[in-house]
Amino acid sequence: MPEMMKLGIVLMSVSLVAAVALGLVNGQTAPVIAVQKEMARQAAMTAIASSLSPGDSLAFDSIEVEGLENPYAGVNEALEVVRVSAPPDPEALGYLFLAYGKGYSSTIQTMVAVDLEGVVTGSIILYQGETPGLGANVAQPDRLIGRLAGLTGGECLLKKDGGTIDAMTGCTITSRAVVGSVADGLESMRGAGLFGPAPVGGAS
Amino acid sequence: MNAAMLLSALLSAPGGEGSGFDIGRMMAIIFAAIFVNNFVLSRFLGICPFIGVSKQLDSAIGMGAAVIFVLAMAALGTWVVYYLLLVPMGLGYLSTIAFILIIAALVQLVEMILLKYSPGLYRALGIYLPLITTNCAVLGVSVLNIGERYSLGESVVHAIAAGIGFTLALILMAGLRQKIEMTDIPPSLEGKPIAFIIAGTMSIAFLGFAGMGV
Amino acid sequence: MSLAKDLVNGIFRENPIFRLTLGMCPFLAVTTSVRNALGMGAAAMFVLVCSNFLVSLLRNAIPSKVRIPCYIVIIATFVTLVDMVMNAYLPDLHRALGIFIPLIVVNCIILGRAEGFANRNPVLSSVADGIGMGIGFTLAMVVLASIRELLGNGTWLDINILGEAYTNQPLLIAILAPGAFILLGFILGFFNLMENRKRGRR
């Protein structure tokens, strides 16, 4: 019995020292991580919101929308909508939202800027953990993510699903995740009455 | 809170909005873990035992069974410890240490059980039994369950499916390697090199599942 | 056992990947680009050296019966440290390496060296061994990553070598899962061939 105690104490002391050391490092790094995440988010928001109103300094307000369905229940994230305006004019210029799509090896986060008629004006990948050199290319502006501008929710589909967007070679799952999540988000927002009547014929 | 409510809360947290027990999602998880994202051939988890134990069919099956059991128990244990202990205390960063200790303890337990009830299998698995502790698949599944925010039920199902996928790959490999023993291979490719090349061809085959919209 | 010998041992004679066939999982998964391979190699080497150091330092203080759990805690602590620091200061690399950072804990190389070398050798030798094994591991990964990135993406360390046309239509399989297995098989076969030739067989 005393031997068990001794073994247990040794293991516990090692673990205790380890836990304390990690606690200290965590205290240092956790705030840095949080700040970085926020900065990345802000940078993305500014980058695509400029497509709504180039050159103006913009204000972002998180809004609560009544009757907004969560299209991302499968990934447990709620649809958050940010209202964009150019102070001092209080009129809304458009909205930003974050779309979550289950990709091949990660949940891809796409930030989308959409105008008041429900037409996408810009989009950017905020987070993806897909295969480097393959699915990861979805984040490059001259590939998939750049093709979403000018589409409404109903048009946001891959060619193989009846729409106009080319999937990337060998990355059907990744392409579908991004396109599908954006389409779902747009539909949900339209269902909550955020958009005016859709423009006839699509692209503006 | 009575037992049924507690059980249902456990099974569905952290999946919000009362996602409860969604059979469709379960089937998607199972299919993905076994075929689309096979743990060995696609995610590269569990390679060491995959190459080491796949020479004989019976030890492959025994190893597979042991791994499925450890995977399921580990998923259960790590999920409970993470969501009911570490997160409420704000100690999420201790998850790696906690998880690996839980897994090590579980493997010890399995060793004791096997020694008592199936010494033949215990001997056949040899050094590879304690090595289940360092099997990337076991720790990998636990970390993935947290990352994908699966509920308790989904985590365990995911783990079992991962184990089945691992066992499937192991059995296929063992069968192929037993056949290869009888054929003529260039001497420099004998042993591990040809095993990896076979694994590569199997991986190509499994890539065929990648297009399925799961 | 001189220090230099301990160091060079891990690079060639007992290269953890090509000779001991340990640490396969991260080796195959992370070698899709040379940058990721270098990052993972550096992280693994850091953990290896630190854990070898501590295990060797405490080798007489930790009773034998509880040594494996203690080694595991020590290794896991350094891995968590690397994880946190990378997340804070190298977020791109952290995201690229993903799940394989916590998986450094179960990298057979690290526990293998702790159990097989550091717990019975003095501190300096253990550190040298750790550095040597770390370099060997990183070198092996860079070799495979170079082949995979070049064939599968036409680049090396993000520098385009094979031209734009190649990058648009590369040998995709090299960067996908099967490519890793097959290429490793051929590399191991190649080393076997060299070994056999040296011994006079064919």
Side-chain angles (χ1 to χ4, degrees):
Chain A
M1 212 42 206
E3 211 211 321
M4 276 285 232
M5 289 269 300
K6 180 171 174 225
L7 296 179
I9 290 179
V10 170
L11 188 55
M12 262 217 301
S13 355
V14 174
S15 308
L16 215 61
V17 171
V20 167
L22 287 180
L24 289 172
V25 177
N26 187 53
Q28 287 293 323
T29 56
V32 178
I33 296 173
V35 162
Q36 260 178 9
K37 250 177 119 169
E38 189 51 38
M39 274 175 48
R41 205 186 150 99
Q42 289 288 340
M45 281 164 70
T46 322
I48 53 169
S50 63
S51 65
L52 284 170
S53 176
D56 292 338
S57 72
L58 303 163
F60 303 117
D61 309 295
S62 270
I63 56 175
E64 297 257 332
V65 183
E66 289 223 4
L68 189 68
E69 271 188 33
N70 179 10
Y72 308 126
V75 291
N76 302 323
E77 300 289 347
L79 179 58
E80 303 158 19
V81 179
V82 171
R83 180 178 173 281
V84 183
S85 57
D89 184 353
E91 284 281 310
L93 289 169
Y95 303 100
L96 299 177
F97 71 95
L98 203 50
Y100 297 88
K102 221 170 178 57
Y104 185 66
S105 52
S106 63
T107 301
I108 308 176
Q109 297 178 19
T110 315
M111 191 172 270
V112 183
V114 55
D115 68 16
L116 295 168
E117 272 119 35
V119 178
V120 175
T121 54
S123 49
I124 192 171
I125 302 274
L126 195 60
Y127 171 81
Q128 56 82 17
E130 306 294 290
T131 318
L134 200 58
N137 289 340
V138 72
Q140 285 174 8
D142 59 335
R143 304 291 286 273
L144 191 79
I145 201 65
R147 312 267 165 77
L148 298 181
L151 300 175
T152 60
E155 296 158 347
C156 204
L157 284 174
L158 291 177
K159 262 200 186 136
K160 48 179 86 176
D161 297 325
T164 53
I165 309 176
D166 273 313
M168 297 192 302
T169 322
C171 325
T172 313
I173 295 186
T174 308
S175 310
R176 240 188 219 132
V178 172
V179 169
S181 61
V182 171
D184 287 341
L186 290 170
E187 291 227 354
S188 180
M189 287 166 75
R190 178 169 293 282
L194 281 173
F195 302 139
V200 177
S204 58
Chain B
M1 225 212 249
N2 66 39
M5 277 170 68
L6 184 62
L7 193 62
S8 125
L10 268 184
L11 281 176
S12 52
E17 320 206 329
S19 49
F21 216 75
D22 182 357
I23 269 292
R25 195 152 131 84
M26 292 295 188
M27 293 310 297
I29 294 177
I30 295 175
F31 190 78
I34 301 181
F35 296 109
V36 180
N37 256 331
N38 182 288
F39 264 65
V40 181
L41 300 173
S42 179
R43 285 200 197 262
F44 299 118
L45 297 175
I47 306 265
C48 297
F50 177 66
I51 296 289
V53 181
S54 56
K55 294 217 185 103
Q56 299 280 9
L57 202 53
D58 3 350
S59 49
I61 298 178
M63 172 61 129
V67 166
I68 294 179
F69 180 74
V70 173
L71 271 170
M73 295 288 113
L76 188 71
T78 54
W79 192 100
V80 166
V81 165
Y82 187 76
Y83 282 110
L84 298 185
L85 193 65
L86 293 179
V87 169
M89 297 188 18
L91 294 175
Y93 55 88
L94 289 183
S95 59
T96 307
I97 299 189
F99 286 8
I100 191 67
L101 283 176
I102 293 174
I103 294 172
L106 270 171
V107 173
Q108 280 281 67
L109 193 70
V110 170
E111 271 190 73
M112 290 198 283
I113 295 178
L114 270 190
L115 189 55
K116 185 152 184 217
Y117 293 108
S118 178
L121 183 58
Y122 181 86
R123 268 191 306 267
L125 290 178
I127 182 92
Y128 287 101
L129 190 51
L131 279 186
I132 297 182
T133 311
T134 55
N135 185 334
C136 313
V138 185
L139 183 60
V141 161
S142 308
V143 173
L144 276 172
N145 285 338
I146 304 297
E148 297 282 314
R149 278 178 252 213
Y150 286 150
S151 65
L152 184 56
E154 287 166 347
S155 298
V156 176
V157 167
H158 182 223
I160 296 179
I164 295 177
F166 173 79
T167 310
L168 180 67
L170 206 59
I171 292 178
L172 289 174
M173 183 66 137
L176 282 170
R177 280 181 96 176
Q178 278 192 237
K179 287 255 154 85
I180 288 259
E181 294 277 300
M182 324 265 176
T183 62
D184 233 349
I185 330 171
S188 43
L189 287 183
E190 268 169 23
K192 295 218 172 79
I194 198 70
F196 277 112
I197 297 176
I198 297 175
T201 356
M202 290 206 309
S203 182
I204 298 180
F206 273 73
L207 262 189
F209 293 109
M212 307 188 101
V214 191
Chain C
M1 263 288 185
S2 74
L3 279 185
K5 203 162 164 213
D6 285 333
L7 199 106
V8 178
N9 189 37
I11 307 181
F12 295 114
R13 208 157 55 84
E14 281 203 323
N15 185 296
I17 300 281
F18 295 133
R19 283 303 162 96
L20 308 179
T21 333
L22 296 175
M24 287 287 114
C25 302
F27 177 70
L28 291 169
V30 154
T31 44
T32 47
S33 78
V34 177
R35 183 146 41 95
N36 292 352
L38 285 170
M40 172 56 100
M45 180 149 79
F46 174 77
V47 175
L48 185 55
V49 170
C50 292
S51 82
N52 264 14
F53 172 75
L54 217 54
V55 167
S56 179
L57 198 66
L58 298 175
R59 71 185 182 278
N60 294 318
I62 301 180
S64 174
K65 281 219 169 120
V66 77
R67 70 181 193 285
I68 298 284
C70 283
Y71 297 167
I72 290 180
V73 171
I74 292 174
I75 297 173
T77 308
F78 285 117
V79 170
T80 312
L81 243 140
V82 167
D83 192 359
M84 289 199 267
V85 168
M86 244 200 223
N87 198 357
Y89 301 111
L90 294 168
D92 286 328
L93 186 60
H94 183 263
R95 197 179 339 123
L97 295 180
I99 193 183
F100 284 95
I101 299 180
L103 283 183
I104 297 178
V105 170
V106 290
N107 189 327
C108 312
I109 301 176
I110 304 185
L111 193 60
R113 291 327 275 177
E115 168 74 359
F117 193 92
N119 70 345
R120 59 186 88 152
N121 279 294
V123 176
L124 275 181
S125 310
S126 302
V127 171
D129 177 78
I131 297 178
M133 288 278 159
I135 295 179
F137 182 63
T138 310
L139 216 63
M141 284 211 294
V142 168
V143 165
L144 186 63
S146 303
I147 302 177
R148 287 182 77 190
E149 190 180 348
L150 209 58
L151 288 178
N153 207 24
T155 60
W156 193 84
L157 259 185
D158 299 325
I159 310 169
N160 203 313
I161 308 256
L162 295 180
E164 274 303 311
Y166 189 84
T167 305
N168 287 334
Q169 291 271 351
L171 192 66
L172 260 186
I173 198 172
I175 228 172
L176 293 175
F181 284 115
I182 297 178
L183 284 169
L184 178 61
F186 279 120
I187 293 178
L188 287 177
F190 174 73
F191 282 133
N192 278 357
L193 189 68
M194 295 287 106
E195 189 76 15
N196 289 346
R197 283 249 173 94
K198 244 202 307 190
R199 295 190 198 159
R201 289 186 262 140
R202 235 246 343 126

